[in-house]
Each structure stands twice: as structure tokens, then as C-alpha cells.
Amino acid sequence: MVLASIALSILELVKDQTARADSIPTDSDNGDSPLSIAVKPIYNAGSDAKETRVVLLNDHEGKALVILPANMLLNLVSIWKHSGRHLQPVRGQDAMKFFGQPALQVNAGQKKLFQLPVYIDQSIADYDKLEVIEPYTGLAFVAQKQWFQDHVSLCALGLTVNGINQQQPDGNDEQVITRAVERFTTLRIQQRLEDTLGLPSLPPSMKRLVELRSDPAAGIDDLVPLVRGDASLAAQVMSWAASPYYAAPGDVHSVEDAVIRVLGFDLVVNLALGVAMGKALSVPEDTPRDGVPYWQQSVYTAAAAELLCKKIPAEIRPKPGLVYLAGLLQNFGYLILAHLFPPHFSLLSRYIEANPHMPLEFVEKQVLNVTREQVGSWLLENWGLPDVVVEAVRHHNDLAYEGLASHEAKLLHIVSRGLRALEMADGPVESVPKTILAELKLTQTDIDNVLEQVTESRAELDSLVHTIMHAH
């Protein structure tokens, strides 16, 4: 009786062919929910090709399953060409509901699941059974070939990390960006890259802030007149000072009061620069669904990075203000990708959804041949940001980096991985090597305490995000 009930449940699930891919809500339909979905990485899965993952796709014809080696990126273009269907990944929340059903926890239900159309990467076609994992839920089971051999379709669906890297253009970051722009747009780069692309320049007040940020002798007396002379900046500073996160005692009556008594030189300069640069480009609309909105992720990262920086022993501690600014701008290149490649940005979002287990850099390389770290650091350098900030933004995913901003980059790496585990930043959840903690003389307790502090302050940080997003 139990098995019959399970079979009926799965049969109804499989027969539910009403969802249309083009009716799936975008992130903008989701309100302001900042929750991500934590997914463990399996891109570096073992050499046993039987370790595979299952992906649920759908379109106007209904649902379909894709199975490919766990260490591969699902190439959506390949399955579109092979199937003749425009199959799209379901959103993470829907995958969790689908694969989290009790009926799929037992063999009978798993077998019924494979009544759906099945597409399998040809590299694993010869196996009689496959060890399957679903990354959103962690559901794992053994799928027998006899379950689907009568209605399976074989094709080349997956790409390995090595394969993606081999396809990338050679050269420095600017050369890579140039080739990507020429490949994916109608532009042909004939002059300075930043001029050709129509990227915005910083307003005079922001250029002056960059100068103050780079001048070790600059102080409050240089900053206050600059803030007072820019009505928009002055309004932002006043709203930040009144934010619950900074919990200023008493009312804030003037720009001088906000800068001197509440925020301080470093914070005003860093917040103003980060916000001005972030608002120079529009936040894209068709982002990966269930992702953390841009400004939440930026503010959470900056706050956590600064707090963790202060736990590093003074003799090796980076400047907390520069770490805060680097954290605020860590994801800046994401906005530039949306600006440079608008026709392809939606495709990038779907690829990220279909491959939540892979580092974002490999997905971006596959779709655009360039990463957010490359374009973000390139533009920040052209805008004259401090070298430490530029280098930290460029290399925070590269643990082998030992350059000028090594400690700053590693701090951002640690913080981003911690926030991912709390569903407060995007990307697969990865462990941080103990050698990195030892290098910075940090402990896991230090990290846990900082993350707890950020989590407890989340409402106040979201209030700060609100003031940033509604500043004029």
C-alpha cells in the first residue's frame, strides 16, 4: 500500500507538464528576499565518471532530466541544439521542492521519476548504473540504466573545467576583455577600451574622493567641504549616519556631525566611492533567480571583511578601510558584464542556475570568455582606485595569489565563503584551507564570531542598503 501511494505520488509529479519556462518568475518578481541557496561544489569530483548529477529542466512541452558527470558544466546550448527544445533550468527553490519530496527518497519513487524524457552525456552512456546526486537537495541514489534505456537520448552535454580553460583567449586582462567584446558584440575596438565601450566616467566629486583615498595626509578638514559641496553626497552621508547600523547617540544635525562624530573619514570615503561606482551602472534585471541582490551582497561582504580584518594581529593587519572598500566593490564586475553583454547576460543567468555547483568564474568563461573579476578590476584601475583595492577585487578567488594585496584578497575569499554558507552571498559553498587561516593568524572561531555579528546586524545592514538604493 505504501509503495502504491509512493508510485501514485511520483506519477502525478511526472505528469505535471503545465509549467512553462517562459513563465518562470525572474528575480525582480521575488520582492526583496535576499536568500540564496547554499550548494556544495562538486566540480572537482573524483575521477570515477559514475559520479553524476541530475538536472531538472522544463519548457512549454514539459519537464526533462539531464544526467552528466558531476565534474562537468552543463552546456545549455548543446541540449537546445540536440533536443530541438528551449529547455531551461528550473529555479533553485523549485528544484528543492521537486527533489525534496518524500516519494523520491525511496527506490520506487526514483524509478518512476525516470519516466520523464532523459538526456544523458554520451561519456557515461555505457554504464549499467549511475551514482546520481542532485546538488540543491543533496539527494543521492543509484539509477539503473534499465529505468530509462528505452527513452534516453545521448549527446555531448558537459564541459570540464580544463576544457573551458583551454578555450579561453591568451593575453592580459585588457586583451581578454577586448577579444570578448569583439566576439560577443558588434563593436570593434580601435581606440582606448574604456572610451569605445561607453562606460561612464566618475563625476568630479568622486574623482576628488579617489584622490583623498590615495592621499595618506588627507583628513576630515579635506573631506567635509567636499561633502558639503555635493548635495547628493551630503544627503547620503546624513542618511548613513542616521542608519540603525551605526547607532549614533542622539540626532545627527549636520554633515560635520555625521562625519566627525558618527562615521569618520575612512567610512565616508569608502561608502561614497563604493556607492558611486555601483550606481554608475544599473543593476541588471534578469539575474539568477534565488540569488542575493547586488547591494545586499556588497554591504554584507564589506561589513564582514572589515570586522574580520580587525581580528588579524596588528603587525600583519591590512588597512580596514581599504578592506571595507574592496569588499563593497568585490562584485562590481558583475554590473559591468551586464553593461557590456546585455543580449548574453540572460544566458549567463540561466547557465549559473543550471550549474550551481561550479565556481562562477568558469561559468562566465564558458558563456562570455571573461570574468567579473577581470572586468571589475580593469575598470577600477582605470578610475584610479588604490592598487590594493584593484588587486584584491581581481584575485580574491585565487588562493595562489601572493602579490601586493595578498592578505586583502584572502580576507575577501574567507568572508565570501562564510557568507555563502549562510545564504547571504552567491556561489558554491567551499571550505577555506587551514593554511590560509594560519597565514592571516585567524581561527575558525574568529570567523564564526564575525559571521554571527553580521547575521545579528542583518536588519540594520538592510536598512543601510535601503538608504544606498534610494539615494539620488
Side-chain angles (χ1 to χ4, degrees):
M1 190 70 177
V2 174
L3 288 179
S5 175
I6 290 172
L8 180 60
S9 172
I10 289 295
L11 191 57
E12 291 301 317
L13 173 152
V14 170
K15 287 182 177 178
D16 178 16
Q17 303 287 311
T18 59
R20 293 181 58 92
D22 56 5
S23 69
I24 296 174
T26 65
D27 186 64
S28 59
D29 298 321
N30 267 343
D32 295 326
S33 172
L35 289 181
S36 178
I37 297 177
V39 173
K40 293 181 179 180
I42 52 176
Y43 70 95
N44 57 351
S47 58
D48 185 359
K50 289 185 181 179
E51 185 172 338
T52 66
R53 70 182 176 104
V54 59
V55 185
L56 180 65
L57 307 177
N58 71 357
D59 64 2
H60 65 280
E61 296 181 32
K63 299 180 178 68
L65 297 179
V66 169
I67 301 179
L68 72 165
N71 62 350
M72 285 187 169
L73 176 144
L74 171 56
N75 189 349
L76 291 174
V77 172
S78 291
I79 197 165
W80 294 340
K81 290 179 178 179
H82 178 83
S83 67
R85 300 170 59 179
H86 199 57
L87 289 159
Q88 300 288 326
V90 302
R91 61 183 299 165
Q93 291 181 1
D94 293 336
M96 292 181 72
K97 291 177 183 177
F98 187 93
F99 289 105
Q101 295 181 98
L104 283 178
Q105 310 306 309
V106 296
N107 188 259
Q110 294 156 4
K111 181 177 180 180
K112 285 288 184 181
L113 173 64
F114 280 84
Q115 290 185 4
L116 288 170
V118 180
Y119 298 88
I120 290 185
D121 188 81
Q122 60 191 19
S123 67
I124 54 175
D126 294 335
Y127 292 105
D128 292 329
K129 57 184 180 181
L130 299 169
E131 298 173 9
V132 175
I133 185 170
E134 197 287 311
Y136 282 109
T137 59
L139 175 68
F141 59 93
V142 176
Q144 305 293 333
K145 187 175 183 180
Q146 63 191 37
W147 293 356
F148 49 80
Q149 61 184 358
D150 295 334
H151 59 280
V152 69
S153 184
L154 301 177
C155 50
L157 296 173
L159 296 165
T160 65
V161 166
N162 288 337
I164 294 171
N165 280 333
Q166 289 172 4
Q167 298 173 9
Q168 301 311 301
D170 296 325
N172 60 34
D173 283 352
E174 183 159 338
Q175 291 169 331
V176 169
I177 297 168
T178 298
R179 292 190 181 99
V181 170
E182 291 182 338
R183 177 178 178 183
F184 293 104
T185 74
T186 58
L187 292 174
R188 291 295 176 265
I189 308 301
Q190 298 176 339
Q191 53 183 330
R192 283 171 56 87
L193 185 57
E194 62 271 26
D195 295 337
T196 304
L197 299 180
L199 291 165
S201 59
L202 288 179
S205 61
M206 291 304 111
K207 290 181 179 178
R208 178 59 181 144
L209 279 175
V210 172
E211 294 172 0
L212 292 182
R213 176 69 278 176
S214 302
D215 182 0
I220 295 291
D221 292 341
D222 303 293
L223 178 61
V224 169
L226 176 62
V227 174
R228 277 203 311 247
D230 186 318
S232 174
L233 179 55
Q236 290 181 52
V237 168
M238 292 293 287
S239 65
W240 297 335
S243 167
Y245 183 68
Y246 298 111
D251 295 332
V252 179
H253 298 289
S254 65
V255 168
E256 290 89 341
D257 196 24
V259 175
I260 296 172
R261 184 170 63 87
V262 181
L263 300 174
F265 176 89
D266 266 3
L267 186 56
V268 170
V269 172
N270 294 330
L271 263 174
L273 283 175
V275 171
M277 291 173 184
K279 293 180 80 71
L281 297 166
S282 299
V283 176
E285 293 185 1
D286 190 7
T287 58
R289 294 159 295 168
D290 302 315
V292 181
Y294 175 82
W295 281 114
Q296 268 98 337
Q297 187 161 288
S298 297
V299 169
Y300 297 158
T301 302
E306 183 182 40
L307 289 171
L308 190 59
C309 179
K310 292 177 179 179
K311 292 186 177 293
I312 296 176
E315 62 271 17
I316 62 168
R317 182 187 302 153
K319 293 182 179 179
L322 291 178
V323 168
Y324 184 95
L325 181 56
L328 204 57
L329 294 171
Q330 176 196 22
N331 209 27
F332 178 56
Y334 184 64
L335 303 184
I336 306 175
L337 290 180
H339 176 87
L340 294 182
F341 309 106
H344 300 87
F345 193 80
S346 293
L347 179 63
L348 174 63
S349 295
R350 303 293 82 77
Y351 264 76
I352 291 173
E353 292 169 353
N355 299 280
H357 66 304
M358 294 198 79
L360 297 172
E361 61 183 291
F362 293 115
V363 185
E364 290 165 356
K365 284 180 179 179
Q366 171 58 27
V367 178
L368 300 175
N369 285 157
V370 68
T371 70
R372 66 185 70 187
E373 289 78 25
Q374 290 174 302
V375 298
S377 60
W378 163 76
L379 186 55
L380 294 177
E381 182 179 20
N382 277 277
W383 277 351
L385 269 289
D387 290 342
V388 168
V389 173
V390 173
E391 291 283 293
V393 170
R394 175 64 180 88
H395 296 289
H396 68 268
N397 286 325
D398 180 10
L399 291 180
Y401 167 73
E402 295 294 344
L404 172 69
S406 176
H407 286 177
E408 290 85 352
K410 290 180 174 68
L411 263 177
L412 293 186
H413 185 94
I414 293 169
V415 164
S416 65
R417 272 57 184 179
L419 290 172
R420 289 177 186 183
L422 296 175
E423 301 179 345
M424 296 171 70
D426 293 333
V429 179
E430 300 169 316
S431 60
V432 177
K434 293 182 180 179
T435 53
I436 302 302
L437 301 186
E439 180 181 338
L440 298 180
K441 300 188 185 305
L442 292 170
T443 67
Q444 186 60 48
T445 300
D446 292 329
I447 298 170
D448 293 342
N449 288 341
V450 163
L451 293 175
E452 182 179 1
Q453 190 172 345
V454 171
T455 303
E456 290 175 349
S457 302
R458 185 164 169 176
E460 291 80 7
L461 289 170
D462 286 344
S463 175
L464 178 60
V465 168
H466 180 80
T467 67
I468 290 173
M469 292 179 64
H470 293 85
H472 298 289

